[in-house]
Amino acid sequence: MGDPRSTTITLTDQAPGSIEADALVVAATKNDGAVRLVADHGLDAETAGHVEEALAALGAEAGAEEATRLVGVPGVSAGLVVVVGMPSGRASRTERLRRAAGVGARALAGRERAVLALGQSGPEEAAAVALGAALGAYTFVEYHGVGKAASTKPGLGEAVVTGVSADEVEAATADAVAVTEAVRWVRDLVNTPPNQLYPESFAETVTGRLSDAVETEVWDPARLEQEGCGGILGVGQGSGRGPRLVTLRYAPEGATTHLALVGKGITFDSGGLCLKPGASMVTMKMDMAGAAVCAAAVEAIAALGLPVRVTAYLCLAENMTGDLAQRPGDVVTMRGGRTVEIINTDAEGRLVMADGLVLASEQEPDAIVDVATLTGACIIALGERTLGVMGNDEELIAKVTRLANEAGDTAWPLPMPEEIRPTLDTPVADLKHTGERSAGASVAATFLQEFVGRRGEGDDAPVIPWAHLDIAGPAFNEKTPWGYQPKGATGAGVRAVVALARDLAG
């Protein structure tokens, strides 16, 4: 694991002013009209006073995206001091630390080493600052040609984070690195052009990267047909690049809880015969973000050695318009034998996910979580920075929502009203895969729920607890960078899944 372009993370118990670095990043907030450094900044009184006087003279406001550069600050070895705003708000303190660190790291592109002293204390807050800095410094330059490569500044080389004791450094560093690298991997996968990342190459990338601790298996189209995965095959049949199903198994010794993950992996979504407008296709390389999240989460869980069994199903297909493309009115047979009438070929994600949910249910895990850039309706409902959580188990929904928010993956639960299910009825198959236009995110989740199985035989057996994460909004940022989120892929969902695995591990 690791990337030569990654920002190195170093945690330390040293005082910030004494560490040799190109830059020092501190945080400020505004109270009663005055801008002051946050508490526990680690600077001596003279240095802190100088910084606060300079901020006042420059008219700094300590806003969320504000980074004020100061030179000639006494009492610090760094030649440059960057003061980032960290205003109060609804976000947790750890999330505000992450965002402030990201702003500081973005302001230091091209620098080799920076110390971050944002008032953090203890391993949890230090890890938050480290993650924010490393992700804020993220760049994706794999496809820059000779014209742009020479002019592109690299991200911050090393982030030195203060605020941990010597005996906490090793564990806190391992935690921050594992999660940061997982998020970076998702960003890299999602940002990769669709002519380079397609079902087969995606499968090869995943199986080639994961450690020996994770067992991998790939089903090609012939095997998918043999196994009755009509949803994945139907979506992929219009592409010259056949679909794949990748199964990942992490089974550490002593694990007593089993978590199943299902990820939507549409490597490019043209809409199929229900063709999208051209402008809507530009970002459709990101429609595989759910599968990327599941793969990267498994990697992080294994790297952390969490004692929980995890099985992930990456449902990979390219939704194109070739000779054999799926048509509205087709009927396909899903894994397990249920038939589905196709209504809109641009509602393809739920079809591949249905096969994955059936496969996950066959293992009778303790919980199933699926992750998908599933509906534009979820963006309409919750905006571009919040993922939607739906499911069949109120306790699991509440837990996933809470853990996601604590980890920095902003989440909000959405309902699945009972009146939606009848809208999926059709006289020609067991059900159709779209219903009424209203409540589109809930309609899609209601369809998925039909493929979640039971633990045991018979109608009296309990339904497997299941949560659905619709990451259509936060998975890809088409606007300007903010906090530690770059323009492009964000890696949203990884931290929520890792946090859930950590919780289930006990």
Side-chain angles (χ1 to χ4, degrees):
M1 195 166 65
D3 185 327
R5 295 179 288 108
S6 297
T7 300
T8 302
I9 293 171
T10 302
L11 274 61
T12 180
D13 60 350
Q14 292 179 259
S18 65
I19 302 172
E20 292 291 333
D22 299 323
L24 170 66
V25 183
V26 293
T29 189
K30 190 173 185 179
N31 290 314
D32 298 325
V35 174
R36 296 283 184 264
L37 293 180
V38 298
D40 300 322
H41 48 70
L43 303 178
D44 61 42
E46 181 182 356
T47 302
H50 177 95
V51 170
E52 290 176 348
E53 288 176 8
L55 293 174
L58 293 169
E61 294 292 330
E65 289 294 307
E66 184 177 296
T68 305
R69 294 167 174 82
L70 304 174
V71 295
V73 176
V76 297
S77 58
L80 173 67
V81 173
V82 177
V83 185
V84 294
M86 198 170 80
S88 59
R90 294 189 65 181
S92 68
R93 174 173 166 79
T94 51
E95 177 62 8
R96 289 186 288 119
L97 284 167
R98 291 185 201 104
R99 293 176 185 177
V103 172
R106 287 196 282 113
L108 293 171
R111 300 278 179 168
E112 288 292 329
R113 193 172 198 239
V115 178
L116 290 98
L118 308 183
Q120 69 272 7
S121 178
E124 182 181 358
E125 291 191 352
V129 171
L131 183 143
L135 295 182
Y138 173 86
T139 59
F140 185 74
V141 296
E142 185 72 22
Y143 297 94
H144 284 189
V146 293
K148 193 170 186 179
S151 62
T152 302
K153 287 184 179 180
L156 174 65
E158 181 184 5
V160 182
V161 179
T162 62
V164 293
S165 62
D167 62 341
E168 296 170 329
V169 166
E170 184 176 354
T173 301
D175 188 279
V177 169
V179 177
T180 298
E181 287 302 312
V183 175
R184 286 185 58 92
W185 187 26
V186 173
R187 290 179 177 182
D188 284 351
L189 286 169
V190 175
N191 283 329
T192 299
N195 61 327
Q196 300 296 320
L197 191 77
Y198 42 90
E200 183 179 7
S201 65
F202 193 163
E204 290 173 349
T205 298
V206 171
T207 57
R209 173 170 170 130
L210 291 178
S211 70
D212 293 339
V214 179
E215 177 189 341
T216 63
E217 182 180 6
V218 179
W219 289 0
D220 63 10
R223 181 68 184 274
L224 287 166
E225 184 172 4
Q226 179 184 338
E227 298 289 345
C229 296
I232 299 173
L233 285 168
V235 173
Q237 70 190 39
S239 171
R241 291 167 163 160
R244 297 290 190 276
L245 178 87
V246 181
T247 303
L248 309 176
R249 300 181 181 92
Y250 169 65
E253 187 175 348
T256 58
T257 305
H258 185 193
L259 171 65
L261 304 174
V262 181
K264 174 185 172 184
I266 304 299
T267 58
F268 183 76
D269 182 17
S270 71
L273 292 182
C274 300
L275 196 67
K276 292 179 183 289
S280 299
M281 282 191 227
V282 174
T283 61
M284 282 300 101
K285 65 181 181 181
M286 55 78 72
D287 216 14
M288 37 59 67
V293 165
C294 291
V298 171
E299 179 183 57
I301 291 164
L304 292 168
L306 299 181
V308 58
R309 179 183 169 198
V310 182
T311 308
Y313 301 88
L314 316 183
C315 307
L316 313 180
E318 188 177 47
N319 189 24
M320 300 295 282
T321 60
D323 293 349
L324 300 177
Q326 194 163 242
R327 297 155 290 258
D330 282 358
V331 174
V332 297
T333 302
M334 317 298 285
R335 172 81 174 187
R338 301 192 76 184
T339 57
V340 174
E341 182 184 16
I342 306 304
I343 303 299
N344 181 347
T345 63
D346 195 23
E348 82 299 327
R350 64 198 71 179
L351 295 171
V352 303
M353 297 292 282
D355 281 338
L357 287 168
V358 174
L359 285 163
S361 298
E362 290 169 2
Q363 301 301 310
E364 298 186 7
D366 295 287
I368 300 173
V369 173
D370 77 67
V371 188
T373 51
L374 205 61
T375 64
C378 199
I379 304 176
I380 299 300
L382 297 178
E384 297 169 337
R385 299 185 182 181
T386 302
L387 62 88
V389 184
M390 289 152 273
N392 65 5
D393 185 274
E394 292 301 322
E395 182 178 348
L396 181 60
I397 292 169
K399 177 181 289 187
V400 169
T401 303
R402 174 178 58 81
L403 292 171
N405 283 310
E406 289 174 357
D409 279 328
T410 306
W412 195 261
L414 289 174
M416 294 170 57
E418 61 182 11
E419 65 269 19
I420 289 177
R421 176 57 186 87
T423 71
L424 302 179
D425 288 339
T426 173
V428 300
D430 291 332
L431 71 166
K432 58 183 179 178
H433 82 305
T434 63
E436 296 178 357
R437 181 172 181 175
S438 58
S442 298
V443 170
T446 299
F447 175 82
L448 292 180
Q449 183 175 226
E450 292 291 305
F451 297 90
V452 178
R454 298 176 179 272
R455 300 193 71 188
E457 300 292 333
D459 293 342
D460 293 334
V463 176
I464 299 168
W466 157 73
H468 161 59
L469 276 58
D470 192 331
I471 61 170
F476 200 84
N477 176 27
E478 295 185 65
K479 298 178 180 177
T480 57
W482 62 277
Y484 52 91
Q485 304 292 16
K487 185 169 185 176
T490 67
V494 171
R495 289 170 293 157
V497 174
V498 174
L500 176 62
R502 196 190 302 271
D503 182 89
L504 293 175

